[in-house]
Amino acid sequence: MPPFWIVIRQLVEIEEQMATSKKVITREEWEKRLNDVKIRKEDMNKLVMNFLVTEGYVEAAEKFRMESGTEHIDLATITDRMAVKKAVQCGNVEDAIEKVNDLNPEILDTNPQLFFHLQQQRLIELIRNGKVEEALEFAQEELAPRGEENQSFLEELERTVALLAFEDVSNCPVGELMDISQRLKTASEVNAAILTSQSHEKDPKLPSLLKMLIWAQNQLDEKATYPRINDLSNATLEDPTV
């Protein structure tokens, strides 16, 4: 199956050529258009490697590098980055901060928003563990001074401290801060910052290409019927329905 961006390119070209009335495009015609466009295998390999490195699949990245012959990558940096991400996801924020500083102290020194969010997550974990007095002291000493300098930080701090007013956080208006999704959000932010510091793209390209494919198909649906990709997991072309 040709790469997704070939499909996107063809969708755009065909949309430009379509008249206002819908046209039926057969599978044979559609596949011919796709096959007319050639994509270098090296570009495909780079796309796959970009996804594996960005998402932190160390073993898969090494295996793919050996099989495809793509350029050498520093697997140690991926392992270290994933260790930081895992620490945040597990609620071990203090450990995560130490690991980030071991990787590159400038990451947190030059990113006050990221550092605040990590400290905010530390506060959330203290509240989660019922350490009320420690949480209040931490908020006052570590987060309040930053809130005085930044209005958005102050608002986030106030939302977080509000958790202490509720015995049952499930009934708290800001109870989502206690969800695992909040840990994942903070972990993703740290991961992106480390990638940027290592001159890597912070987001993998593949998901963006898939979103472009969906958008392009939705645009073309208004002007033509054609073999559509409905199941992105296997990229199977489904015959057009007239």
Side-chain angles (χ1 to χ4, degrees):
M1 178 64 202
F4 286 124
W5 62 72
I6 302 179
V7 180
I8 295 170
R9 175 175 172 179
Q10 292 301 314
L11 290 172
V12 174
E13 290 181 356
I14 292 171
E15 182 177 1
E16 294 173 348
Q17 297 169 7
M18 290 294 99
T20 54
S21 59
K22 277 196 173 185
K23 177 181 178 181
V24 177
I25 305 173
T26 65
R27 173 183 287 270
E28 181 181 3
E29 180 183 356
W30 190 252
E31 290 183 341
K32 182 178 183 303
R33 288 174 177 269
L34 295 179
N35 291 330
D36 284 342
V37 180
K38 306 300 180 183
I39 296 295
R40 295 189 314 159
K41 186 176 181 180
E42 291 82 356
D43 293 331
M44 283 290 294
N45 290 341
K46 288 180 180 179
L47 177 64
V48 174
M49 183 61 78
N50 167 263
F51 177 80
L52 296 175
V53 170
T54 304
E55 294 299 306
Y57 297 109
V58 182
E59 293 182 3
E62 173 61 10
K63 184 176 180 180
F64 183 75
R65 184 191 68 78
M66 295 176 64
E67 293 178 351
S68 63
T70 53
E71 61 184 25
H72 176 72
I73 56 173
D74 188 351
L75 296 180
T77 61
I78 304 178
T79 302
D80 293 339
R81 175 164 51 85
M82 288 301 100
V84 174
K85 188 175 181 179
K86 183 177 180 180
V88 178
Q89 291 173 339
C90 293
N92 302 323
V93 184
E94 191 169 4
D95 181 45
I97 292 175
E98 291 180 3
K99 291 181 183 300
V100 171
N101 285 329
D102 287 341
L103 280 175
N104 184 350
E106 292 185 1
I107 294 176
L108 297 181
D109 289 343
T110 59
N111 195 332
Q113 178 171 285
L114 173 61
F115 185 63
F116 177 85
H117 286 160
L118 283 169
Q119 295 289 66
Q120 179 189 25
Q121 191 63 47
R122 283 184 66 183
L123 176 59
I124 292 171
E125 300 304 333
L126 289 172
I127 297 173
R128 190 195 309 278
N129 294 323
K131 299 179 179 180
V132 177
E133 292 186 6
E134 188 175 345
L136 288 171
E137 182 179 352
F138 182 78
Q140 183 177 2
E141 294 182 0
E142 300 295 335
L143 294 174
R146 297 181 184 277
E148 294 175 356
E149 301 172 356
N150 187 302
Q151 181 61 31
S152 65
F153 290 173
L154 178 60
E155 293 173 358
E156 290 190 60
L157 174 58
E158 290 174 345
R159 290 180 69 247
T160 307
V161 173
L163 291 168
L164 293 168
F166 294 81
E167 291 186 5
D168 183 4
V169 294
S170 63
N171 295 321
C172 176
V174 292
E176 72 275 2
L177 292 175
M178 299 289 281
D179 292 343
I180 296 301
S181 60
Q182 179 65 26
R183 286 182 179 177
L184 299 180
K185 178 181 177 182
T186 305
S188 294
E189 186 177 357
V190 177
N191 185 58
I194 296 174
L195 282 167
T196 300
S197 73
Q198 295 172 344
S199 300
H200 291 303
E201 294 173 284
K202 62 180 183 179
D203 297 308
K205 296 178 180 178
L206 187 55
S208 297
L209 288 172
L210 294 176
K211 290 178 182 178
M212 289 174 62
L213 170 63
I214 294 171
W215 174 86
Q217 287 193 150
N218 290 338
Q219 295 296 308
L220 187 55
D221 284 343
E222 300 177 3
K223 299 185 178 182
T225 55
Y226 58 96
R228 215 175 186 279
I229 297 177
N230 293 320
D231 185 353
L232 298 180
S233 64
N234 58 34
T236 300
L237 288 175
E238 297 187 10
D239 291 327
T241 55
V242 183

PDB file of all heavy atoms in Angstrom, residues 71-107:
ATOM      1  N   GLU A  71      20.154   5.894   9.516  1.00  0.00           N
ATOM      2  CA  GLU A  71      21.280   6.498  10.213  1.00  0.00           C
ATOM      3  C   GLU A  71      21.294   6.114  11.689  1.00  0.00           C
ATOM      4  O   GLU A  71      20.251   5.813  12.287  1.00  0.00           O
ATOM      5  CB  GLU A  71      21.207   8.022  10.080  1.00  0.00           C
ATOM      6  CG  GLU A  71      19.952   8.635  10.670  1.00  0.00           C
ATOM      7  CD  GLU A  71      19.862  10.128  10.433  1.00  0.00           C
ATOM      8  OE1 GLU A  71      20.481  10.590   9.461  1.00  0.00           O
ATOM      9  OE2 GLU A  71      19.181  10.801  11.213  1.00  0.00           O
ATOM     10  N   HIS A  72      22.495   6.129  12.258  1.00  0.00           N
ATOM     11  CA  HIS A  72      22.668   5.726  13.658  1.00  0.00           C
ATOM     12  C   HIS A  72      21.973   6.713  14.579  1.00  0.00           C
ATOM     13  O   HIS A  72      21.986   7.922  14.358  1.00  0.00           O
ATOM     14  CB  HIS A  72      24.154   5.673  14.008  1.00  0.00           C
ATOM     15  CG  HIS A  72      24.407   5.351  15.440  1.00  0.00           C
ATOM     16  ND1 HIS A  72      24.207   4.094  15.970  1.00  0.00           N
ATOM     17  CD2 HIS A  72      24.824   6.149  16.469  1.00  0.00           C
ATOM     18  CE1 HIS A  72      24.514   4.107  17.258  1.00  0.00           C
ATOM     19  NE2 HIS A  72      24.891   5.333  17.579  1.00  0.00           N
ATOM     20  N   ILE A  73      21.350   6.183  15.623  1.00  0.00           N
ATOM     21  CA  ILE A  73      20.713   7.020  16.619  1.00  0.00           C
ATOM     22  C   ILE A  73      21.295   6.681  17.982  1.00  0.00           C
ATOM     23  O   ILE A  73      21.740   5.558  18.230  1.00  0.00           O
ATOM     24  CB  ILE A  73      19.185   6.816  16.646  1.00  0.00           C
ATOM     25  CG1 ILE A  73      18.855   5.333  16.868  1.00  0.00           C
ATOM     26  CG2 ILE A  73      18.541   7.324  15.383  1.00  0.00           C
ATOM     27  CD1 ILE A  73      17.386   5.066  17.069  1.00  0.00           C
ATOM     28  N   ASP A  74      21.287   7.661  18.876  1.00  0.00           N
ATOM     29  CA  ASP A  74      21.813   7.469  20.220  1.00  0.00           C
ATOM     30  C   ASP A  74      20.697   6.911  21.095  1.00  0.00           C
ATOM     31  O   ASP A  74      19.849   7.647  21.610  1.00  0.00           O
ATOM     32  CB  ASP A  74      22.315   8.805  20.780  1.00  0.00           C
ATOM     33  CG  ASP A  74      23.047   8.628  22.101  1.00  0.00           C
ATOM     34  OD1 ASP A  74      23.014   7.497  22.645  1.00  0.00           O
ATOM     35  OD2 ASP A  74      23.629   9.604  22.602  1.00  0.00           O
ATOM     36  N   LEU A  75      20.679   5.603  21.257  1.00  0.00           N
ATOM     37  CA  LEU A  75      19.614   4.951  22.015  1.00  0.00           C
ATOM     38  C   LEU A  75      19.637   5.334  23.487  1.00  0.00           C
ATOM     39  O   LEU A  75      18.610   5.306  24.153  1.00  0.00           O
ATOM     40  CB  LEU A  75      19.714   3.433  21.866  1.00  0.00           C
ATOM     41  CG  LEU A  75      19.500   2.878  20.450  1.00  0.00           C
ATOM     42  CD1 LEU A  75      19.635   1.364  20.460  1.00  0.00           C
ATOM     43  CD2 LEU A  75      18.128   3.278  19.926  1.00  0.00           C
ATOM     44  N   ALA A  76      20.801   5.703  23.992  1.00  0.00           N
ATOM     45  CA  ALA A  76      20.906   6.066  25.403  1.00  0.00           C
ATOM     46  C   ALA A  76      20.054   7.294  25.711  1.00  0.00           C
ATOM     47  O   ALA A  76      19.429   7.380  26.780  1.00  0.00           O
ATOM     48  CB  ALA A  76      22.357   6.337  25.774  1.00  0.00           C
ATOM     49  N   THR A  77      20.008   8.231  24.783  1.00  0.00           N
ATOM     50  CA  THR A  77      19.214   9.441  25.010  1.00  0.00           C
ATOM     51  C   THR A  77      17.723   9.101  25.068  1.00  0.00           C
ATOM     52  O   THR A  77      16.970   9.723  25.815  1.00  0.00           O
ATOM     53  CB  THR A  77      19.453  10.482  23.907  1.00  0.00           C
ATOM     54  OG1 THR A  77      19.070   9.941  22.625  1.00  0.00           O
ATOM     55  CG2 THR A  77      20.922  10.883  23.856  1.00  0.00           C
ATOM     56  N   ILE A  78      17.301   8.125  24.263  1.00  0.00           N
ATOM     57  CA  ILE A  78      15.896   7.707  24.296  1.00  0.00           C
ATOM     58  C   ILE A  78      15.593   7.052  25.636  1.00  0.00           C
ATOM     59  O   ILE A  78      14.563   7.327  26.271  1.00  0.00           O
ATOM     60  CB  ILE A  78      15.573   6.721  23.153  1.00  0.00           C
ATOM     61  CG1 ILE A  78      15.926   7.320  21.799  1.00  0.00           C
ATOM     62  CG2 ILE A  78      14.100   6.342  23.191  1.00  0.00           C
ATOM     63  CD1 ILE A  78      15.686   6.373  20.632  1.00  0.00           C
ATOM     64  N   THR A  79      16.483   6.175  26.081  1.00  0.00           N
ATOM     65  CA  THR A  79      16.285   5.479  27.355  1.00  0.00           C
ATOM     66  C   THR A  79      16.188   6.469  28.505  1.00  0.00           C
ATOM     67  O   THR A  79      15.309   6.352  29.376  1.00  0.00           O
ATOM     68  CB  THR A  79      17.438   4.492  27.608  1.00  0.00           C
ATOM     69  OG1 THR A  79      17.521   3.556  26.521  1.00  0.00           O
ATOM     70  CG2 THR A  79      17.227   3.741  28.906  1.00  0.00           C
ATOM     71  N   ASP A  80      17.076   7.449  28.519  1.00  0.00           N
ATOM     72  CA  ASP A  80      17.064   8.459  29.591  1.00  0.00           C
ATOM     73  C   ASP A  80      15.777   9.283  29.550  1.00  0.00           C
ATOM     74  O   ASP A  80      15.187   9.595  30.594  1.00  0.00           O
ATOM     75  CB  ASP A  80      18.274   9.388  29.461  1.00  0.00           C
ATOM     76  CG  ASP A  80      19.587   8.674  29.729  1.00  0.00           C
ATOM     77  OD1 ASP A  80      19.553   7.617  30.390  1.00  0.00           O
ATOM     78  OD2 ASP A  80      20.631   9.163  29.274  1.00  0.00           O
ATOM     79  N   ARG A  81      15.356   9.629  28.351  1.00  0.00           N
ATOM     80  CA  ARG A  81      14.131  10.434  28.201  1.00  0.00           C
ATOM     81  C   ARG A  81      12.907   9.656  28.661  1.00  0.00           C
ATOM     82  O   ARG A  81      12.025  10.201  29.331  1.00  0.00           O
ATOM     83  CB  ARG A  81      13.993  10.879  26.736  1.00  0.00           C
ATOM     84  CG  ARG A  81      12.706  11.617  26.424  1.00  0.00           C
ATOM     85  CD  ARG A  81      12.821  12.365  25.095  1.00  0.00           C
ATOM     86  NE  ARG A  81      13.283  11.515  24.016  1.00  0.00           N
ATOM     87  CZ  ARG A  81      12.470  10.726  23.282  1.00  0.00           C
ATOM     88  NH1 ARG A  81      11.179  10.711  23.528  1.00  0.00           N
ATOM     89  NH2 ARG A  81      12.956   9.995  22.298  1.00  0.00           N
ATOM     90  N   MET A  82      12.860   8.382  28.329  1.00  0.00           N
ATOM     91  CA  MET A  82      11.730   7.559  28.741  1.00  0.00           C
ATOM     92  C   MET A  82      11.726   7.343  30.255  1.00  0.00           C
ATOM     93  O   MET A  82      10.659   7.187  30.864  1.00  0.00           O
ATOM     94  CB  MET A  82      11.774   6.213  28.015  1.00  0.00           C
ATOM     95  CG  MET A  82      11.415   6.299  26.536  1.00  0.00           C
ATOM     96  SD  MET A  82       9.739   6.965  26.230  1.00  0.00           S
ATOM     97  CE  MET A  82      10.133   8.683  25.818  1.00  0.00           C
ATOM     98  N   ALA A  83      12.908   7.334  30.870  1.00  0.00           N
ATOM     99  CA  ALA A  83      12.985   7.188  32.323  1.00  0.00           C
ATOM    100  C   ALA A  83      12.354   8.399  33.006  1.00  0.00           C
ATOM    101  O   ALA A  83      11.655   8.266  34.025  1.00  0.00           O
ATOM    102  CB  ALA A  83      14.441   7.026  32.764  1.00  0.00           C
ATOM    103  N   VAL A  84      12.589   9.574  32.446  1.00  0.00           N
ATOM    104  CA  VAL A  84      11.984  10.797  32.972  1.00  0.00           C
ATOM    105  C   VAL A  84      10.468  10.742  32.813  1.00  0.00           C
ATOM    106  O   VAL A  84       9.703  11.020  33.742  1.00  0.00           O
ATOM    107  CB  VAL A  84      12.534  12.044  32.251  1.00  0.00           C
ATOM    108  CG1 VAL A  84      11.780  13.298  32.705  1.00  0.00           C
ATOM    109  CG2 VAL A  84      14.021  12.204  32.507  1.00  0.00           C
ATOM    110  N   LYS A  85      10.047  10.370  31.620  1.00  0.00           N
ATOM    111  CA  LYS A  85       8.608  10.311  31.330  1.00  0.00           C
ATOM    112  C   LYS A  85       7.904   9.321  32.245  1.00  0.00           C
ATOM    113  O   LYS A  85       6.821   9.595  32.786  1.00  0.00           O
ATOM    114  CB  LYS A  85       8.407   9.921  29.860  1.00  0.00           C
ATOM    115  CG  LYS A  85       6.977  10.004  29.384  1.00  0.00           C
ATOM    116  CD  LYS A  85       6.896   9.729  27.884  1.00  0.00           C
ATOM    117  CE  LYS A  85       5.456   9.839  27.387  1.00  0.00           C
ATOM    118  NZ  LYS A  85       5.374   9.598  25.915  1.00  0.00           N
ATOM    119  N   LYS A  86       8.518   8.160  32.444  1.00  0.00           N
ATOM    120  CA  LYS A  86       7.919   7.127  33.295  1.00  0.00           C
ATOM    121  C   LYS A  86       7.833   7.598  34.743  1.00  0.00           C
ATOM    122  O   LYS A  86       6.841   7.321  35.439  1.00  0.00           O
ATOM    123  CB  LYS A  86       8.732   5.837  33.212  1.00  0.00           C
ATOM    124  CG  LYS A  86       8.140   4.691  34.020  1.00  0.00           C
ATOM    125  CD  LYS A  86       8.947   3.411  33.839  1.00  0.00           C
ATOM    126  CE  LYS A  86       8.334   2.271  34.646  1.00  0.00           C
ATOM    127  NZ  LYS A  86       9.107   1.005  34.496  1.00  0.00           N
ATOM    128  N   ALA A  87       8.862   8.315  35.199  1.00  0.00           N
ATOM    129  CA  ALA A  87       8.858   8.814  36.575  1.00  0.00           C
ATOM    130  C   ALA A  87       7.672   9.745  36.817  1.00  0.00           C
ATOM    131  O   ALA A  87       6.989   9.649  37.846  1.00  0.00           O
ATOM    132  CB  ALA A  87      10.172   9.535  36.876  1.00  0.00           C
ATOM    133  N   VAL A  88       7.416  10.636  35.869  1.00  0.00           N
ATOM    134  CA  VAL A  88       6.274  11.548  36.008  1.00  0.00           C
ATOM    135  C   VAL A  88       4.963  10.768  35.968  1.00  0.00           C
ATOM    136  O   VAL A  88       4.050  11.003  36.759  1.00  0.00           O
ATOM    137  CB  VAL A  88       6.289  12.619  34.898  1.00  0.00           C
ATOM    138  CG1 VAL A  88       5.066  13.535  35.036  1.00  0.00           C
ATOM    139  CG2 VAL A  88       7.559  13.456  34.965  1.00  0.00           C
ATOM    140  N   GLN A  89       4.875   9.818  35.056  1.00  0.00           N
ATOM    141  CA  GLN A  89       3.649   9.021  34.924  1.00  0.00           C
ATOM    142  C   GLN A  89       3.352   8.215  36.186  1.00  0.00           C
ATOM    143  O   GLN A  89       2.189   7.923  36.473  1.00  0.00           O
ATOM    144  CB  GLN A  89       3.763   8.086  33.717  1.00  0.00           C
ATOM    145  CG  GLN A  89       3.755   8.805  32.373  1.00  0.00           C
ATOM    146  CD  GLN A  89       4.032   7.878  31.208  1.00  0.00           C
ATOM    147  OE1 GLN A  89       4.608   6.803  31.376  1.00  0.00           O
ATOM    148  NE2 GLN A  89       3.632   8.273  30.011  1.00  0.00           N
ATOM    149  N   CYS A  90       4.406   7.870  36.927  1.00  0.00           N
ATOM    150  CA  CYS A  90       4.232   7.103  38.161  1.00  0.00           C
ATOM    151  C   CYS A  90       4.075   8.011  39.387  1.00  0.00           C
ATOM    152  O   CYS A  90       3.911   7.508  40.511  1.00  0.00           O
ATOM    153  CB  CYS A  90       5.414   6.162  38.371  1.00  0.00           C
ATOM    154  SG  CYS A  90       5.536   4.834  37.145  1.00  0.00           S
ATOM    155  N   GLY A  91       4.160   9.316  39.174  1.00  0.00           N
ATOM    156  CA  GLY A  91       4.007  10.247  40.284  1.00  0.00           C
ATOM    157  C   GLY A  91       5.288  10.572  41.013  1.00  0.00           C
ATOM    158  O   GLY A  91       5.268  11.274  42.029  1.00  0.00           O
ATOM    159  N   ASN A  92       6.416  10.083  40.511  1.00  0.00           N
ATOM    160  CA  ASN A  92       7.721  10.356  41.146  1.00  0.00           C
ATOM    161  C   ASN A  92       8.337  11.614  40.526  1.00  0.00           C
ATOM    162  O   ASN A  92       9.343  11.552  39.818  1.00  0.00           O
ATOM    163  CB  ASN A  92       8.650   9.161  40.970  1.00  0.00           C
ATOM    164  CG  ASN A  92       8.080   7.886  41.553  1.00  0.00           C
ATOM    165  OD1 ASN A  92       7.428   7.911  42.595  1.00  0.00           O
ATOM    166  ND2 ASN A  92       8.306   6.770  40.883  1.00  0.00           N
ATOM    167  N   VAL A  93       7.723  12.733  40.800  1.00  0.00           N
ATOM    168  CA  VAL A  93       8.097  13.976  40.119  1.00  0.00           C
ATOM    169  C   VAL A  93       9.471  14.473  40.549  1.00  0.00           C
ATOM    170  O   VAL A  93      10.244  14.974  39.728  1.00  0.00           O
ATOM    171  CB  VAL A  93       7.034  15.065  40.361  1.00  0.00           C
ATOM    172  CG1 VAL A  93       7.366  16.325  39.564  1.00  0.00           C
ATOM    173  CG2 VAL A  93       5.652  14.553  39.997  1.00  0.00           C
ATOM    174  N   GLU A  94       9.779  14.362  41.832  1.00  0.00           N
ATOM    175  CA  GLU A  94      11.085  14.822  42.310  1.00  0.00           C
ATOM    176  C   GLU A  94      12.208  14.051  41.615  1.00  0.00           C
ATOM    177  O   GLU A  94      13.225  14.634  41.211  1.00  0.00           O
ATOM    178  CB  GLU A  94      11.175  14.653  43.824  1.00  0.00           C
ATOM    179  CG  GLU A  94      12.389  15.335  44.434  1.00  0.00           C
ATOM    180  CD  GLU A  94      12.324  15.376  45.950  1.00  0.00           C
ATOM    181  OE1 GLU A  94      11.368  14.801  46.525  1.00  0.00           O
ATOM    182  OE2 GLU A  94      13.237  15.976  46.555  1.00  0.00           O
ATOM    183  N   ASP A  95      12.010  12.757  41.452  1.00  0.00           N
ATOM    184  CA  ASP A  95      12.986  11.926  40.742  1.00  0.00           C
ATOM    185  C   ASP A  95      13.090  12.353  39.284  1.00  0.00           C
ATOM    186  O   ASP A  95      14.178  12.411  38.717  1.00  0.00           O
ATOM    187  CB  ASP A  95      12.576  10.465  40.831  1.00  0.00           C
ATOM    188  CG  ASP A  95      13.555   9.536  40.135  1.00  0.00           C
ATOM    189  OD1 ASP A  95      14.776   9.697  40.311  1.00  0.00           O
ATOM    190  OD2 ASP A  95      13.102   8.633  39.403  1.00  0.00           O
ATOM    191  N   ALA A  96      11.957  12.681  38.688  1.00  0.00           N
ATOM    192  CA  ALA A  96      11.942  13.122  37.292  1.00  0.00           C
ATOM    193  C   ALA A  96      12.726  14.414  37.119  1.00  0.00           C
ATOM    194  O   ALA A  96      13.489  14.564  36.151  1.00  0.00           O
ATOM    195  CB  ALA A  96      10.505  13.317  36.822  1.00  0.00           C
ATOM    196  N   ILE A  97      12.550  15.334  38.060  1.00  0.00           N
ATOM    197  CA  ILE A  97      13.270  16.613  37.981  1.00  0.00           C
ATOM    198  C   ILE A  97      14.780  16.379  38.074  1.00  0.00           C
ATOM    199  O   ILE A  97      15.567  16.996  37.336  1.00  0.00           O
ATOM    200  CB  ILE A  97      12.796  17.564  39.099  1.00  0.00           C
ATOM    201  CG1 ILE A  97      11.343  17.994  38.846  1.00  0.00           C
ATOM    202  CG2 ILE A  97      13.713  18.788  39.192  1.00  0.00           C
ATOM    203  CD1 ILE A  97      10.746  18.837  39.948  1.00  0.00           C
ATOM    204  N   GLU A  98      15.190  15.490  38.955  1.00  0.00           N
ATOM    205  CA  GLU A  98      16.619  15.182  39.082  1.00  0.00           C
ATOM    206  C   GLU A  98      17.157  14.584  37.781  1.00  0.00           C
ATOM    207  O   GLU A  98      18.265  14.921  37.344  1.00  0.00           O
ATOM    208  CB  GLU A  98      16.838  14.205  40.240  1.00  0.00           C
ATOM    209  CG  GLU A  98      16.582  14.800  41.623  1.00  0.00           C
ATOM    210  CD  GLU A  98      16.812  13.789  42.734  1.00  0.00           C
ATOM    211  OE1 GLU A  98      17.220  12.647  42.410  1.00  0.00           O
ATOM    212  OE2 GLU A  98      16.587  14.137  43.917  1.00  0.00           O
ATOM    213  N   LYS A  99      16.382  13.709  37.179  1.00  0.00           N
ATOM    214  CA  LYS A  99      16.815  13.074  35.930  1.00  0.00           C
ATOM    215  C   LYS A  99      16.918  14.106  34.805  1.00  0.00           C
ATOM    216  O   LYS A  99      17.841  14.041  33.981  1.00  0.00           O
ATOM    217  CB  LYS A  99      15.844  11.960  35.537  1.00  0.00           C
ATOM    218  CG  LYS A  99      15.872  10.747  36.456  1.00  0.00           C
ATOM    219  CD  LYS A  99      14.913   9.679  35.992  1.00  0.00           C
ATOM    220  CE  LYS A  99      14.858   8.496  36.930  1.00  0.00           C
ATOM    221  NZ  LYS A  99      16.164   7.805  37.092  1.00  0.00           N
ATOM    222  N   VAL A 100      15.971  15.038  34.753  1.00  0.00           N
ATOM    223  CA  VAL A 100      16.022  16.086  33.728  1.00  0.00           C
ATOM    224  C   VAL A 100      17.278  16.929  33.904  1.00  0.00           C
ATOM    225  O   VAL A 100      17.980  17.241  32.934  1.00  0.00           O
ATOM    226  CB  VAL A 100      14.770  16.989  33.793  1.00  0.00           C
ATOM    227  CG1 VAL A 100      14.938  18.202  32.865  1.00  0.00           C
ATOM    228  CG2 VAL A 100      13.526  16.215  33.395  1.00  0.00           C
ATOM    229  N   ASN A 101      17.577  17.283  35.145  1.00  0.00           N
ATOM    230  CA  ASN A 101      18.769  18.098  35.407  1.00  0.00           C
ATOM    231  C   ASN A 101      20.046  17.330  35.089  1.00  0.00           C
ATOM    232  O   ASN A 101      21.051  17.932  34.672  1.00  0.00           O
ATOM    233  CB  ASN A 101      18.778  18.563  36.865  1.00  0.00           C
ATOM    234  CG  ASN A 101      17.777  19.679  37.116  1.00  0.00           C
ATOM    235  OD1 ASN A 101      17.497  20.481  36.221  1.00  0.00           O
ATOM    236  ND2 ASN A 101      17.222  19.734  38.317  1.00  0.00           N
ATOM    237  N   ASP A 102      20.024  16.029  35.273  1.00  0.00           N
ATOM    238  CA  ASP A 102      21.187  15.219  34.908  1.00  0.00           C
ATOM    239  C   ASP A 102      21.374  15.212  33.387  1.00  0.00           C
ATOM    240  O   ASP A 102      22.511  15.210  32.894  1.00  0.00           O
ATOM    241  CB  ASP A 102      21.020  13.780  35.406  1.00  0.00           C
ATOM    242  CG  ASP A 102      21.174  13.658  36.916  1.00  0.00           C
ATOM    243  OD1 ASP A 102      21.759  14.580  37.522  1.00  0.00           O
ATOM    244  OD2 ASP A 102      20.694  12.656  37.485  1.00  0.00           O
ATOM    245  N   LEU A 103      20.268  15.196  32.660  1.00  0.00           N
ATOM    246  CA  LEU A 103      20.349  15.222  31.199  1.00  0.00           C
ATOM    247  C   LEU A 103      20.845  16.561  30.695  1.00  0.00           C
ATOM    248  O   LEU A 103      21.763  16.642  29.881  1.00  0.00           O
ATOM    249  CB  LEU A 103      18.964  14.936  30.600  1.00  0.00           C
ATOM    250  CG  LEU A 103      18.503  13.485  30.528  1.00  0.00           C
ATOM    251  CD1 LEU A 103      17.069  13.421  30.032  1.00  0.00           C
ATOM    252  CD2 LEU A 103      19.405  12.686  29.591  1.00  0.00           C
ATOM    253  N   ASN A 104      20.205  17.620  31.190  1.00  0.00           N
ATOM    254  CA  ASN A 104      20.543  18.971  30.732  1.00  0.00           C
ATOM    255  C   ASN A 104      19.898  19.982  31.676  1.00  0.00           C
ATOM    256  O   ASN A 104      18.690  20.235  31.587  1.00  0.00           O
ATOM    257  CB  ASN A 104      20.048  19.187  29.301  1.00  0.00           C
ATOM    258  CG  ASN A 104      20.465  20.532  28.735  1.00  0.00           C
ATOM    259  OD1 ASN A 104      20.974  21.393  29.457  1.00  0.00           O
ATOM    260  ND2 ASN A 104      20.227  20.735  27.460  1.00  0.00           N
ATOM    261  N   PRO A 105      20.670  20.599  32.574  1.00  0.00           N
ATOM    262  CA  PRO A 105      20.115  21.561  33.541  1.00  0.00           C
ATOM    263  C   PRO A 105      19.428  22.750  32.888  1.00  0.00           C
ATOM    264  O   PRO A 105      18.543  23.372  33.495  1.00  0.00           O
ATOM    265  CB  PRO A 105      21.355  22.009  34.331  1.00  0.00           C
ATOM    266  CG  PRO A 105      22.365  20.932  34.121  1.00  0.00           C
ATOM    267  CD  PRO A 105      22.108  20.409  32.744  1.00  0.00           C
ATOM    268  N   GLU A 106      19.803  23.065  31.660  1.00  0.00           N
ATOM    269  CA  GLU A 106      19.233  24.234  30.996  1.00  0.00           C
ATOM    270  C   GLU A 106      17.771  24.034  30.607  1.00  0.00           C
ATOM    271  O   GLU A 106      17.051  25.003  30.361  1.00  0.00           O
ATOM    272  CB  GLU A 106      20.051  24.590  29.750  1.00  0.00           C
ATOM    273  CG  GLU A 106      21.450  25.098  30.062  1.00  0.00           C
ATOM    274  CD  GLU A 106      22.170  25.561  28.805  1.00  0.00           C
ATOM    275  OE1 GLU A 106      21.566  25.505  27.714  1.00  0.00           O
ATOM    276  OE2 GLU A 106      23.336  25.977  28.922  1.00  0.00           O
ATOM    277  N   ILE A 107      17.329  22.783  30.532  1.00  0.00           N
ATOM    278  CA  ILE A 107      15.947  22.524  30.128  1.00  0.00           C
ATOM    279  C   ILE A 107      14.976  23.213  31.077  1.00  0.00           C
ATOM    280  O   ILE A 107      14.054  23.920  30.645  1.00  0.00           O
ATOM    281  CB  ILE A 107      15.662  21.006  30.081  1.00  0.00           C
ATOM    282  CG1 ILE A 107      16.486  20.349  28.972  1.00  0.00           C
ATOM    283  CG2 ILE A 107      14.176  20.749  29.857  1.00  0.00           C
ATOM    284  CD1 ILE A 107      16.342  18.835  28.920  1.00  0.00           C
TER     285      ILE A 107
END
